[in-house]
Every structure is written in structure tokens, then in C-alpha cells.
């Protein structure tokens, strides 16, 4: 086994260029030389699963022999980073609760729509759902229903998000009453897990979506879009193109939340800053 791994991890310059070029052109995610070791280590599992001892054989299979295209999806899944947690960058959710939702209610919107773009394994999605449920509980009749559309490039993390099962330790910082209302505990206490309750899961739909697509085939328009800690993997020009495509599906006056390390500075977009990394689509955009 050790001999197999030592030979398998030899990613030649040609193999590295083939994989990195594919990822960059199809996902927009940069794969510089510094990522070579990461590519090797993350793809070892695919080589072992398929019985290949050389990257060149695996690449030939993924790019030529597998006509279904499934292996390229699995390759992409392995190389895309997905790090998230419940209530990550919590000031955004506080802003949603204190500013955005009261405004939605004031405008007479009973069934708002949200988009978690780059939803990863679902923690952000279900955090939004918890905030909405809490608001509905405390303001009876203000909102009758809601829908959250969630998308990601990785089928692996989408499967986890749909299943909605997480390690119990991941919710340790959530208040006890919210844990009781919105999470189910597993009966196996040797490996404690929790699952999001059905009433929260039923308001969410998931779909695979590539930010690099020329347009996003989505019929809905949204009152709020979360696209946080995803754009950092793209260059500035690509970031602007992605945001432009995202906000085509955002109503004028709707809100866009980006990650705290992301910005629209120097971008020509119909957005105004209303809070740190929170933006609002201008009314003039409806006439573009």
C-alpha cells in the first residue's frame, strides 16, 4: 500500500496543468503551483477507488473514457473547499432579523424568497431558516411562509445539506431553546448527531449550480441573497461577473450579503453599501 501511494502521488507537471486548467476554466477557482500538494492529496482517494496507480491513467479516464462525465464532477467535488458553520459571521443574521425582515413585513411581503449561493453543507441555509422561524414565532402573522433556494457546485456537500445531519458539537453555541425547537437528537449517544427538523427542511430546495455558467437558469427572484466566503476564490473580474449574474435574480431594493473578507469596491454594479459587506440593489437597476 505504501508503495502504491508513493507512486500514485507523483503528479507530473503535465498532469498538474491538465487538472488545474480544467478547474480554473470550469469553476473559476484558481489553482496555482502552491495548490499542487493539495490536488495530489485530495485525489488519492479517487485513484484508489478506481484502481489507478498513476495520475496520468486517472486523468485519461476522467477526461476521455468516462463519457458520463460523473468522474469530472467527483474530481471537482474533491478539489473545492467547503468550510462553514452555524451562525457564521453572526452580525449578518442580526442585520437580517433587525433590519431586513421588518422591512419585508412593512412592504406587505408575506412569503419572502432567499437564495444561499454557495451553500456548502447547509449550515448557512438552516441558520437563515432558524432566524426566519424565530421571527415568525415572535411576530405572529407577519410572515406566513418563506422559501430558501440553496445552490452549490459540489454534489458531495449538497447531499449532506439535503440529509441535514450534523455532529452535535457543531451546535454547541446555539441557545438551548433553539436547539430544542429546531434540532432532533440521534439515539446513538456514542456518536452524537443532530438533524434539522422537517418543518425547516421543507422550506428549502437544493440544486447544483456552477457560478461560471453564462447565465443561471433560475425562474425565481429573491428578496435576499447570501453569497458569503465564496468569491474569495475568484479573481476580481470574475467576482464582478458572478455578482452581476446573481443580482439579476434580486429584486430592486433587495439585499446581497457577502463574506467579511469580500468587497464590491471598484466594481460597476447597481449596489449600494448599507452595512459592512451588506449591499442593496438600487431601484434604478430595474430599468437596466
Amino acid at each position: 500500500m505504501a508503495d502504491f501511494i508513493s507512486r500514485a502521488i507523483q503528479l507530473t507537471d503535465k498532469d498538474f496543468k491538465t487538472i488545474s486548467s480544467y478547474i480554473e476554466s470550469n469553476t473559476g477557482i484558481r489553482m496555482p503551483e502552491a495548490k499542487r500538494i493539495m490536488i495530489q492529496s485530495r485525489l488519492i482517494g479517487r485513484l484508489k477507488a478506481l484502481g489507478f496507480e498513476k495520475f496520468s491513467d486517472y486523468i485519461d479516464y476522467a477526461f476521455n473514457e468516462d463519457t458520463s462525465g460523473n468522474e469530472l464532477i467527483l474530481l471537482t467535488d474533491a478539489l473545492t473547499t467547503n468550510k462553514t458553520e452555524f451562525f457564521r459571521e453572526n452580525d449578518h443574521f442580526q442585520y437580517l432579523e433587525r433590519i431586513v425582515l421588518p422591512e419585508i413585513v412593512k412592504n406587505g411581503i408575506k412569503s419572502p424568497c432567499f437564495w444561499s449561493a454557495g451553500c456548502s453543507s447547509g449550515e448557512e441555509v438552516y441558520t437563515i431558516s432558524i432566524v426566519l422561524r424565530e421571527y415568525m414565532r415572535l411576530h405572529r402573522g407577519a410572515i406566513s411562509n418563506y422559501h430558501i433556494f440553496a445552490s452549490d457546485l459540489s454534489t458531495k456537500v449538497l447531499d449532506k445539506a439535503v440529509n441535514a445531519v450534523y455532529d452535535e458539537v457543531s451546535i454547541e453555541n446555539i441557545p438551548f431553546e433553539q436547539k430544542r425547537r429546531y434540532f432532533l437528537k440521534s439515539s446513538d449517544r456514542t456518536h452524537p448527531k443532530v438533524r434539522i427538523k422537517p418543518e425547516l427542511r421543507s422550506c428549502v430546495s437544493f440544486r447544483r449550480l456552477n457560478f461560471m455558467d453564462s447565465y443561471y437558469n433560475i425562474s425565481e427572484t429573491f428578496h435576499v441573497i447570501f453569497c458569503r466566503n465564496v468569491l474569495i476564490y475568484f479573481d476580481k473580474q470574475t467576482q464582478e461577473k458572478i455578482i452581476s449574474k446573481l443580482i439579476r435574480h434580486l429584486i430592486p431594493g433587495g439585499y446581497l450579503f457577502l463574506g467579511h473578507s469580500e468587497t464590491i469596491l471598484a466594481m460597476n454594479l447597481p449596489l449600494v453599501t448599507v452595512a459592512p459587506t451588506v449591499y442593496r440593489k438600487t431601484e434604478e437597476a430595474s430599468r437596466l
Side-chain angles (χ1 to χ4, degrees):
M1 179 63 72
D3 182 58
F4 169 83
I5 293 176
S6 66
R7 284 181 281 118
I9 63 173
Q10 299 306 309
L11 187 64
T12 66
D13 291 344
K14 179 182 177 182
D15 295 340
F16 169 72
K17 184 175 180 180
T18 299
I19 294 172
S20 61
S21 296
Y22 172 78
I23 292 296
E24 289 186 22
S25 62
N26 284 272
T27 72
I29 298 173
R30 291 165 290 175
M31 288 287 167
E33 176 64 31
K35 298 284 188 180
R36 183 192 285 255
I37 299 300
M38 182 272 284
I39 291 174
Q40 290 182 171
S41 62
R42 290 193 181 183
L43 289 180
I44 285 293
R46 294 308 306 151
L47 270 70
K48 291 169 64 177
L50 294 167
F52 293 122
E53 297 188 0
K54 294 186 297 183
F55 268 103
S56 58
D57 291 339
Y58 171 71
I59 288 171
D60 188 50
Y61 172 77
F63 286 88
N64 301 310
E65 296 177 17
D66 180 30
T67 56
S68 70
N70 288 336
E71 189 57 39
L72 287 177
I73 293 176
L74 293 173
L75 181 152
T76 303
D77 283 358
L79 298 182
T80 50
T81 302
N82 297 281
K83 180 183 181 300
T84 187
E85 60 189 29
F86 290 100
F87 288 92
R88 184 182 184 183
E89 298 178 353
N90 190 40
D91 55 319
H92 281 163
F93 299 107
Q94 293 174 351
Y95 190 89
L96 177 65
E97 176 190 355
R98 296 172 183 172
I99 305 298
V100 179
L101 293 181
E103 182 177 297
I104 284 174
V105 172
K106 182 180 177 181
N107 290 334
I109 300 163
K110 288 289 189 179
S111 300
C113 293
F114 300 78
W115 181 6
S116 173
C119 67
S120 189
S121 46
E123 286 89 339
E124 176 181 89
V125 179
Y126 296 120
T127 299
I128 296 170
S129 198
I130 289 171
V131 171
L132 285 161
R133 289 282 172 172
E134 284 292 282
Y135 191 86
M136 292 168 69
R137 184 178 67 84
L138 296 172
H139 305 84
R140 300 287 182 181
I143 295 174
S144 59
N145 203 355
Y146 62 89
H147 176 243
I148 304 172
F149 172 64
S151 65
D152 201 278
L153 176 65
S154 170
T155 55
K156 182 178 179 180
V157 296
L158 284 173
D159 287 343
K160 181 174 180 179
V162 170
N163 197 34
V165 174
Y166 303 95
D167 292 331
E168 189 173 323
V169 67
S170 69
I171 66 167
E172 61 183 4
N173 293 324
I174 295 177
F176 172 77
E177 285 301 314
Q178 291 186 12
K179 292 179 188 177
R180 184 179 60 82
R181 290 189 194 103
Y182 305 118
F183 295 87
L184 299 168
K185 283 189 176 183
S186 64
S187 56
D188 181 5
R189 302 315 296 163
T190 59
H191 300 91
K193 302 280 187 180
V194 293
R195 192 179 193 194
I196 304 294
K197 286 189 175 181
E199 54 266 34
L200 269 66
R201 302 199 309 271
S202 66
C203 295
V204 183
S205 61
F206 293 93
R207 199 176 90 195
R208 186 175 187 266
L209 185 143
N210 188 343
F211 281 150
M212 298 302 289
D213 290 346
S214 57
Y215 77 102
Y216 305 149
N217 187 21
I218 300 169
S219 58
E220 283 183 276
T221 53
F222 302 93
H223 300 92
V224 179
I225 297 176
F226 279 74
C227 184
R228 305 187 309 157
N229 306 301
V230 180
L231 297 176
I232 53 175
Y233 300 106
F234 303 93
D235 61 44
K236 205 71 174 177
Q237 184 179 18
T238 305
Q239 289 177 4
E240 184 170 352
K241 290 179 179 177
I242 291 170
I243 296 174
S244 180
K245 286 182 284 188
L246 288 173
I247 62 176
R248 290 174 193 171
H249 303 278
L250 185 66
I251 65 165
Y255 291 87
L256 172 68
F257 290 79
L258 299 181
H260 284 341
S261 60
E262 297 164 332
T263 179
I264 64 167
L265 187 65
M267 294 184 186
N268 184 25
L269 295 166
L271 296 167
V272 294
T273 305
V274 293
T277 60
V278 182
Y279 307 93
R280 197 167 188 190
K281 186 175 179 180
T282 62
E283 296 292 337
E284 287 78 8
S286 63
R287 297 191 289 271
L288 296 180

